[in-house]
Amino acid sequence: MSRQTSVLYDVPGPRQRRITLVSSVAATLLLLVGAYFLIYRPLDDKGQFSMELWGPLIDPSNENFSQVWDRLGLGLKNTLIAAVLAIVSSLVVGTLLAVLRIQLKSLTRRRFVGFATPLAYLLRGLSVLLSAVTRVCVEVFRGLPVVITIFFVARGFPEFGVSFDTLWYLVIGLTIYNSVVIGEILRSGMEGLPGGQAEAAAAIGLSPLQSTRMILLPQAFRIMLPALISQLVVVLKDTSLGFIISYEETLNIGKQVIGVLENPIQVYVVIAVLFIAVNYSLSKLAQYVQHRLSRGRKTAGTPAQNPPPAALMSQAEGAGGPI
């Protein structure tokens, strides 16, 4: 055991380990007993574990099994389509928004040397105004609940003569909110980088836009990847809000199945398992991508072994062996 580890905490002795083991076993047994009497027994008394309620979901020989899973499969397909479209559009718009805010912030500090004085003041004032407008838009859309954004999109666009399928109303509503959040995540990631990187990029002749695109933005994606993945999981779960505009996603179709079979607990348990499985897969994919990026960075950062100079090699050969 290292010296640093022993300094950070006291290693538990045999008696403390026995106490911890006994406490853990007792707590586990207490939870199991509580779950049995508070959850299992009440549900069992009401017949919630009967095959009459679970059969349409888990028994292939049940007459309603294929119809139920056809409907749930359609709902899951619609959920994934809406999620993928919203994730891609949110990443694109959020990235553009982050770059725009970074560029506007740099323009507000620029003195526009070489321009006429009135034009320089005009350009700087315009930069300050646009920066303030984008900041207000970010705060407004980030503060609105997603369900209100989706509702306003679905009800507001037709008032202006713009009509889409309900899928696109949901995607646009999710994109408006999540692109703002993703943009702020990437902006904070870029602003958290050492200022010397932007200065070095300017010293070698890169423009602010080039330094942002080639140096700051790739690092922000890598650093903020956990926060980005968490937000993408939120996008996937927020597709369930499509029920307010009658989009047939998983939860909405689940409600239709419940209306026919009258087994809400069973249907919601299955839907919960489906969402957990998809979100878990997305999280594992994020861990894989992060691991590959970190491994690639370590490989790129490993200094190459320089070969020995020719003179040393010749001396080694003359001595009859390696140096």
Side-chain angles (χ1 to χ4, degrees):
M1 184 173 293
S2 65
R3 182 178 179 182
Q4 182 181 3
T5 304
S6 62
V7 172
L8 293 177
Y9 67 94
D10 293 332
V11 179
R15 182 171 179 272
Q16 184 62 39
R17 288 198 294 267
R18 287 195 297 269
I19 294 175
T20 302
L21 178 61
V22 172
S23 301
S24 300
V25 172
T28 302
L29 291 176
L30 183 62
L31 289 175
L32 291 176
V33 171
Y36 176 78
F37 285 102
L38 298 179
I39 299 177
Y40 178 81
R41 285 286 296 275
L43 292 177
D44 187 49
D45 293 339
K46 295 180 180 180
Q48 293 297 329
F49 296 104
S50 65
M51 287 302 296
E52 182 181 357
L53 297 177
W54 283 99
L57 296 167
I58 64 174
D59 184 9
S61 63
N62 190 283
E63 59 181 4
N64 295 319
F65 180 84
S66 59
Q67 298 178 2
V68 168
W69 278 105
D70 285 344
R71 295 294 294 164
L72 290 178
L74 175 63
L76 183 61
K77 174 185 174 182
N78 292 339
T79 293
L80 294 178
I81 290 174
V84 169
L85 292 174
I87 286 172
V88 172
S89 57
S90 297
L91 285 173
V92 173
V93 177
T95 302
L96 294 176
L97 181 61
V99 173
L100 175 63
R101 293 204 64 190
I102 291 292
Q103 295 305 306
L104 288 176
K105 186 175 182 179
S106 65
L107 287 176
T108 56
R109 299 173 179 175
R110 183 178 175 182
R111 297 189 178 278
F112 296 97
V113 179
F115 292 89
T117 302
L119 181 59
Y121 279 114
L122 177 62
L123 292 175
R124 191 170 185 182
L126 183 60
S127 301
V128 172
L129 177 62
L130 291 177
S131 179
V133 170
T134 55
R135 183 172 182 178
V136 169
C137 291
V138 166
E139 295 300 329
V140 168
F141 290 120
R142 188 170 58 175
L144 282 176
V146 188
V147 65
I148 294 180
T149 305
I150 296 173
F151 181 82
F152 280 164
V153 169
R155 294 296 180 266
F157 276 30
E159 295 295 330
F160 294 96
V162 180
S163 298
F164 297 115
D165 186 74
T166 53
L167 167 65
W168 293 107
Y169 290 137
L170 177 61
V171 171
I172 293 172
L174 293 175
T175 301
I176 291 175
Y177 173 79
N178 291 283
S179 61
V180 168
V181 177
I182 290 174
E184 287 300 285
I185 291 174
L186 293 175
R187 182 190 62 82
S188 62
M190 286 187 284
E191 290 185 345
L193 295 172
Q197 297 191 17
E199 296 173 1
I204 63 176
L206 294 180
S207 66
L209 181 59
Q210 288 176 324
S211 64
T212 300
R213 178 176 59 86
M214 300 171 61
I215 299 175
L216 302 181
L217 188 60
Q219 295 185 76
F221 266 107
R222 180 179 55 80
I223 294 171
M224 306 305 291
L225 185 60
L228 289 173
I229 295 302
S230 298
Q231 191 60 37
L232 298 184
V233 171
V234 171
V235 176
L236 177 62
K237 293 190 294 185
D238 283 348
T239 56
S240 61
L241 298 175
F243 76 91
I244 66 170
I245 57 174
S246 301
Y247 179 66
E248 287 199 329
E249 43 77 39
T250 309
L251 193 61
N252 194 3
I253 288 184
K255 291 181 178 180
Q256 299 173 14
V257 173
I258 291 171
V260 176
L261 300 179
E262 297 181 354
N263 55 348
I265 294 178
Q266 292 74 18
V267 172
Y268 283 137
V269 167
V270 171
I271 292 176
V273 171
L274 293 176
F275 270 97
I276 291 172
V278 175
N279 287 329
Y280 179 77
S281 302
L282 185 59
S283 300
K284 297 302 290 185
L285 176 62
Q287 293 177 8
Y288 172 77
V289 172
Q290 189 173 15
H291 175 70
R292 288 296 299 269
L293 290 176
S294 61
R295 188 174 64 179
R297 186 189 179 199
K298 291 179 181 178
T299 304
T302 303
Q305 296 292 334
N306 295 323
L312 295 179
M313 291 293 295
S314 61
Q315 292 178 9
E317 292 175 358
I323 297 177

